[in-house]
Amino acid sequence: MQKQREIELPVLVPVMLVFVTMLSATANGHNVTKLLAPHPSLSTFNHYLSLTHLADEINSRTTITVLALDNSAMSSLLSSNPTISTIRNILSLHVLLDYFGAKKLHQITNGTALAATLFQASGTAPGSSGFVNITDLQGGKVGFGPEENDGKLSVLFVKSVEEVPYNISIIEVSGVLPSDVAAAPTPGPSQVNLTNIMSAHGCKFFADTLLNNSDAMKTYEDNVEGGVTVFCPLDDPFKQFLPKYKNLSAAGKVSFLEFYAVPMYLSMAMLKSNNGLMNTLATDGANKYDFTVQNDGEQVTLKTKLNTVRITGTLLDEQPLAIYSTDKVLLPKELFKADASTPAPAPAPDTAAESPKASKGKSKSKSAPATADSPADAPDGDVADQTADSKNSGSRFGDTRYGMAILLSFWVCHLLH
């Protein structure tokens, strides 16, 4: 028996190391910018994946293929000076929501496949314009073309860049996929009318209230260029809430309205993968005015110590601006009591007369996520909830790792005995 162990242990150790490495790779997922970093010929493409926040969307997904463009192709794309929103649309057409490694490209069933893209998933692409046709051509070539391109396959597979099998594949292609829809000019962020968009999509009462408060409105406008995400309550709940809003002090009204915007761009994919506390345009030193973003599968909620609201729709998602609707009015603890029946006491007059909100809001456009409250400040259950929320992004791997670790333990015991 001792001799058998001596023979098995040298074999067991490297097997265990490989097994642990596989578990670690699964838990860590992928990072597209790091995968592209060793390839200087793709540096401009890599830069714009980060600048448009497409990298975050790619990293939040599995089973995905990135059609990378070399620096020359990117130079051609940028030569017409498109807005950052247009660049995002074009590049999102180059992210396929399926895995295509070099081997699979040459083994496509019936020689052709139609793949959905991030452009299609964004809801911006009408009809089938967000789909890409992939065809295995004669002579070992593989062609790509948007579905809207009348079957023309003018872009060809060049080489495989990086592959994490069945998770992410990065392949270089010969040029930009031609799409009039994706390349259509989009307004710059300063040209977007926030209140018109909200009014047209069921948030008119909130939009009108914001428009009538010049200080809060200016804070929003000053921060749009740097990135803003707005969460506007739908008309029915906000209309019922208006009497409570009118009881707030002048400074309280400004802070209340600024509380509904985060000074950074957050796509839906980013909201789902970045659970935790968020600062808002109203955050200013001791005045936290923060809330917790958390998700359960596809459902994203916003939570304060007073209540929780649910995101019900996407009104706009064009970097650097995102606007979402919510089913209820989120209540900041700085302004309302626990029962939310009446506003909290108004601030002293000297506090209400502080410097203009616009400059304060603008300075916060670079602020980092807030630090979590101490356990003493939170009501029963909040700390535990927030701790659980912070682990959501890794939870899908946790159960698998533990289960596999248990199986590994039994296996080791069996070999040793």
Side-chain angles (χ1 to χ4, degrees), residues 222-400:
D222 287 346
N223 281 272
V224 167
E225 293 285 348
V228 164
T229 301
V230 183
F231 303 94
C232 60
L234 290 168
D235 282 340
D236 285 346
F238 196 77
K239 183 179 180 180
Q240 295 174 17
F241 179 80
L242 276 175
K244 297 184 180 71
Y245 168 80
K246 292 177 181 177
N247 285 334
L248 294 171
S249 66
K253 289 176 180 176
V254 174
S255 295
F256 175 80
L257 293 171
E258 292 177 348
F259 172 69
Y260 288 89
V262 172
M264 64 183 75
Y265 166 78
L266 293 167
S267 67
M268 182 56 72
M270 294 166 71
L271 285 170
K272 291 176 181 176
S273 62
N274 289 281
N275 288 190
L277 283 169
M278 293 283 176
N279 280 342
T280 67
L281 292 183
T283 302
D284 185 18
N287 297 319
K288 288 186 176 181
Y289 285 101
D290 54 25
F291 55 76
T292 300
V293 176
Q294 56 189 19
N295 72 287
D296 181 11
E298 294 299 306
Q299 184 61 66
V300 179
T301 59
L302 314 177
K303 177 182 178 182
T304 68
K305 291 181 179 181
L306 300 182
N307 70 333
T308 300
V309 305
R310 179 172 54 90
I311 293 180
T312 58
T314 301
L315 312 190
L316 180 72
D317 183 1
E318 293 182 7
Q319 200 274 342
L321 178 62
I323 306 175
Y324 304 98
S325 59
T326 63
D327 65 337
K328 292 184 289 188
V329 178
L330 188 63
L331 301 174
K333 64 184 184 297
E334 291 81 3
L335 292 176
F336 296 94
K337 296 179 181 178
D339 61 2
S341 59
T342 57
D350 58 335
T351 303
E354 286 180 351
S355 58
K357 290 281 185 175
S359 59
K360 183 193 78 173
K362 191 169 184 177
S363 67
K364 289 181 298 191
S365 64
K366 303 296 183 183
S367 61
T371 303
D373 289 339
S374 63
D377 293 333
D380 292 343
D382 273 12
V383 175
D385 290 344
Q386 291 173 14
T387 302
D389 292 339
S390 68
K391 297 177 181 178
N392 279 352
S393 60
S395 63
R396 61 180 179 271
F397 301 112
D399 292 340
T400 302

